[in-house]
Amino acid sequence: MLDRDDAPRLSFFVHDHALRASVGSAQIMYDQMISLLLLTAHPNFSINVVLAETEPNGVFDGSFMLMRYAKHAPTVAADTRTATLFLDQRGDTEEYAYVLDELANVGLEAEESRDFVDKLSREYGKAR
């Protein structure tokens, strides 16, 4: 999908705890970090790590996707414990856009995030 001429632009904010939480073996974690590093080579893909010590209070409280379209109004898919809510009311989408702005203010820049993931990959690589 990222190699298409009309590839979507994908931007992610990831809490550093999510990158450090071991899911499986050190090999699996190493492979996941390498996959993230390879994805950052695509011009339409970015990841920004939000460090725990810089987390804005009350902003990083759950996963969601804000989808913006050229010809349609934005939509948010917000995950709850038992369902995903799709929100398309202007006030709702503006609130989630605000959250992304706040995360952009405190998250690491793309290159810093790439370095952070690279450092984790080396740590997991040594542990395998």
Side-chain angles (χ1 to χ4, degrees), residues 3 5-6 8 18 30 34 37 48 52 60-61 65 81-82 84-86 90 102 113-114 122 124 126:
D3 293 323
D5 289 338
D6 63 342
Y30 172 78
I34 294 300
L37 287 172
N48 298 85
F60 222 133
D61 61 354
M65 291 185 296
R81 192 175 200 66
T82 59
T84 299
L85 301 174
F86 289 90
R90 186 175 184 171
E102 288 296 303
S113 294
R114 189 178 194 298
R122 285 183 271 120
Y124 288 123
K126 289 178 186 176

Side-chain angles (χ1 to χ4, degrees), residues 13-69:
F13 289 95
V14 181
H15 199 288
D16 75 286
H17 289 307
L19 297 172
R20 293 179 187 277
S22 291
V23 179
S25 67
Q27 180 67 48
I28 289 171
M29 295 303 294
Y30 172 78
D31 292 344
Q32 289 181 356
M33 296 304 122
I34 294 300
S35 293
L36 282 176
L37 287 172
L38 292 172
L39 284 169
T40 63
H42 290 277
N44 286 358
F45 181 94
S46 67
I47 182 172
N48 298 85
V49 175
V50 178
L51 300 175
E53 60 266 18
T54 61
E55 178 183 329
N57 191 18
V59 174
F60 222 133
D61 61 354
S63 63
F64 68 92
M65 291 185 296
L66 174 58
M67 298 166 281
R68 294 180 174 129
Y69 308 97

